[in-house]
Amino acid sequence: MKKIGFIMTICGLLLLAAGCKKGAEPDSIIGNQSKPEWTATADYDITASMTAIVGIDLYKSFSEERLAAAGYSLSNDDLTGAFSGDECLGTAQLKDGVFYLFISAPKSGVNVTLKYYSATLKNTFVAEPVPFKNDEQLGTVSTPYTPVWVVAN
């Protein structure tokens, strides 16, 4: 009886340790989502706008092996969007390897969260929020803004 208790204790500790890997990648970067139908809101007078030239580099977040195994590549069906909470402030399709995103808002000072939908992975990723600044440009054609992306919940 002591052996069974000892074995169960060891198994429990091993399971606990396996579940506590620091910095582990999410279980799956492959989803089953359809392309989102993000539409910029038109419920207010546009008084402020900014431009973001966004590059996608999932290799900052996920291993090359993992992305290759998932069959990841950029696609003309990919989509980015800028959001303040649930409100869509602008969207863009891939063009010449980057996304030219026009972002409109009722005022400066809000935080904007960028989202990226990968058609090959059928999943949505999010980046850390950035401050919205009227008449500003985030990134350039030669040096696009390339945030770190994580799998959206």
Side-chain angles (χ1 to χ4, degrees):
M1 212 45 160
K2 285 184 180 182
K3 279 186 178 181
I4 293 173
F6 177 75
I7 291 171
M8 289 179 71
T9 301
I10 295 298
C11 288
L13 290 173
L14 289 173
L15 286 172
L16 180 63
C20 295
K21 289 181 183 175
K22 187 175 182 180
E25 292 180 345
D27 289 335
S28 181
I29 57 173
I30 301 172
N32 61 357
Q33 300 173 6
S34 299
K35 186 175 182 178
E37 294 184 21
W38 297 330
T39 304
T41 186
D43 292 343
Y44 54 80
D45 292 328
I46 296 173
T47 58
S49 66
M50 76 182 272
T51 305
I53 300 173
V54 180
I56 304 298
D57 185 359
L58 289 184
Y59 296 96
K60 286 182 173 182
S61 305
F62 307 100
S63 69
E64 186 174 340
E65 295 80 18
R66 200 139 177 229
L67 291 167
Y72 172 71
S73 65
L74 284 174
S75 166
N76 287 332
D77 289 328
D78 289 356
L79 180 67
T80 59
F83 293 84
S84 177
D86 291 333
E87 185 176 24
C88 182
L89 305 177
T91 64
Q93 298 279 143
L94 184 66
K95 181 175 171 83
D96 300 325
V98 294
F99 294 88
Y100 297 91
L101 188 58
F102 179 77
I103 306 167
S104 58
K107 64 182 186 310
S108 289
V110 298
N111 281 329
V112 175
T113 300
L114 299 179
K115 294 184 181 183
Y116 163 61
Y117 172 76
S118 168
T120 57
L121 297 176
K122 297 194 179 310
N123 213 346
T124 302
F125 301 83
V126 296
E128 286 291 318
V130 294
F132 177 92
K133 296 179 183 171
N134 190 34
D135 294 330
E136 293 285 322
Q137 180 172 312
L138 184 62
T140 65
V141 174
S142 59
T143 311
Y145 174 66
T146 54
V148 174
W149 300 96
V150 297
V151 176
N153 292 336

